[in-house]
Structures are given as C-alpha cells and as structure tokens.
Amino acid sequence: FNYTATPHFYPLSLHAALPSFLPSLLVDAAGTAIDLRLAPGETTSVNLKLTPQSVISGRVLDADGDAWIHGTVEIYRSVFKKGKRRLERANDADANDRGEFRAGQLHPGTYYMKAQPDIGWERSYRAASEPHLQPTWYPSSFDTEGSTPILVSPGQELPGLEFRLRKNATYRIRGTVSGLENLPQPTSQMMRGERGVRASSGSRDAPDVYFAWLRPDGSFEIQGVASGDYD
C-alpha cells in the first residue's frame, strides 16, 4: 500500500490489521516497536508481516454429559515473565444455545482453559444443599495441576475440545465489615450499591471469584462457594 502524510514533528507508529489475522505492529528484530520520523517529501518503505490467527473451539458439557449453555470459557496463555511461568488471560468465549464456544485471535503458544458456570444461575436454580457446577479446567479438573495444556500453532484451528463440568458441595461465607461509620456517606444510591466483599481462590493469575454486596448494617453473605482457601 502507499500512504502519503503531512510532515510530522513527532514519531509515527505503524499498525496493520486484516480479518482472520493477528494485528501487527512495526517492530525491529528484537520485537521493539519502531517509530517512524518523516521529513517533508521523504519516502520510506517498510515490511509488515501478519500472522494468521489461531482458533480454539468445542463444547461445554454438564456433569451428565449434556450440553451446558450457562457458562463462559476463559482462555489463558502460558508465558514466561520476570523469571517465572504464569498464566495470562488471552480471550473469553460464551457458550451458545448448543453449549458450543469459539475463541479466536490467539497467538501461537501453550494455553490452558477454564469453563466458568454462571454462579448466579446455579444459586437461583439449585437448592443450597445440592452440589453445584464448579469452575472446571480442561478437560475436567478443579485446578490447573490436573488440566491438559493445549499447544497451538500459527493459523491452526483446533476444534472439538470438550469440557465436562464437575459438581461439588457449596458453602456460604458470612461476616460483617466494621468501621463503615468512619467512611464518607455515599451521595447516591448507585455509590451505596458499590460496597461489597469479594472472595478469591486458586491461581493468582486465574482466580475463582465470588462476590456479595454489603447490607446497610455492614453484614454480608457470599453464597455458592466451593471448598478451598480464600482471600
């Protein structure tokens, strides 16, 4: 392509995008972004390489093997940063009316996947004494240690992956937050509704999170919580 621009006294960055390809940025051999500075009348030639996107798709099943539509699949890429291996959120995909999901715009690499059932749905339509569907790592594990990593090549479409969600007993965390009287009073009903308590467990990079709003007296009750250690 050809692009003519008015002279700029600040650096320009060059991006490229095309359907079914990963967005690309002009970089040097080390992967550092290159800034272009053009003088009046100057012409430059650059080469941008686009990588085809990788795609993961499949189905979410309940504990009985039936298609499950009340959930989301979270995609995590295994990366190495600051001398440590960690998981980095790459994409999400909702299950459709057949329990199917499709996640694109993935770079080549190693991925781990977690299916998150709708906690609100579980709480509304299952008795508190009944086991609930829990966050499940592919193909059917409560944690990453039991999960199967997925190796994705450039431009690869990997179909037919199936989650089997697992059930487990759930619990409630009740308590009270003190000291609210020392905080400024909310100026609107919306701000009043923003006060809540969050419980998270599992991996720091991919936690399971439960939430409850604070009542006016500072009390709270987080429902549908799986067994485990929580912050």
Side-chain angles (χ1 to χ4, degrees):
F1 67 92
N2 293 318
Y3 173 67
T4 302
T6 57
H8 287 273
F9 298 99
Y10 49 86
L12 297 173
S13 58
L14 192 61
H15 300 257
L18 192 67
S20 299
F21 285 80
L22 298 171
S24 181
L25 174 68
L26 182 64
V27 297
D28 59 22
T32 304
I34 298 175
D35 289 332
L36 298 177
R37 294 179 182 270
L38 300 179
E42 182 181 0
T43 299
T44 186
S45 177
V46 298
N47 183 23
L48 273 171
K49 182 180 180 181
L50 289 174
T51 301
Q53 70 167 349
S54 299
V55 179
I56 295 174
S57 61
R59 289 199 307 159
V60 180
L61 309 177
D62 66 12
D64 298 319
D66 298 320
W68 192 248
I69 66 175
H70 306 288
T72 300
V73 174
E74 300 174 355
I75 314 292
Y76 295 88
R77 187 183 182 195
S78 178
V79 296
F80 197 74
K81 288 187 175 181
K82 295 182 178 180
K84 293 183 178 181
R85 180 67 62 182
R86 57 173 295 180
L87 296 180
E88 189 173 78
R89 190 83 160 259
N91 206 343
D92 294 345
D94 292 329
N96 64 15
D97 59 349
R98 296 182 177 179
E100 300 167 338
F101 71 90
R102 184 180 188 276
Q105 289 295 299
L106 300 178
H107 291 263
T110 301
Y111 289 86
Y112 289 82
M113 300 194 303
K114 180 170 65 172
Q116 284 278 12
D118 187 331
I119 296 175
W121 193 98
E122 295 291 315
R123 184 185 306 157
S124 299
Y125 294 97
R126 298 190 199 275
S129 59
E130 178 185 359
H132 290 198
L133 293 174
Q134 299 295 324
T136 305
W137 290 88
Y138 175 80
S140 186
S141 173
F142 283 137
D143 52 44
T144 54
E145 285 73 19
S147 177
T148 300
I150 300 163
L151 183 61
V152 177
S153 303
Q156 181 182 13
E157 292 206 16
L158 196 59
L161 301 180
E162 286 191 347
F163 281 93
R164 177 68 69 93
L165 291 172
R166 297 181 62 179
K167 284 185 177 181
N168 201 0
T170 60
Y171 304 87
R172 302 183 184 192
I173 301 175
R174 298 187 182 98
T176 302
V177 176
S178 60
L180 294 178
E181 66 277 4
N182 299 321
L183 297 178
Q185 290 300 312
T187 57
S188 67
Q189 184 62 39
M190 180 179 296
M191 291 179 64
R192 191 174 295 114
E194 290 179 349
R195 293 177 172 177
V197 176
R198 189 182 309 273
S200 61
S201 71
S203 166
R204 182 190 65 179
D205 301 322
D208 296 325
V209 178
Y210 301 87
F211 182 83
W213 298 111
L214 280 178
R215 303 186 182 104
D217 63 355
S219 64
F220 65 89
E221 182 180 284
I222 306 177
Q223 301 179 12
V225 180
S227 59
D229 297 327
Y230 289 86
D231 295 324

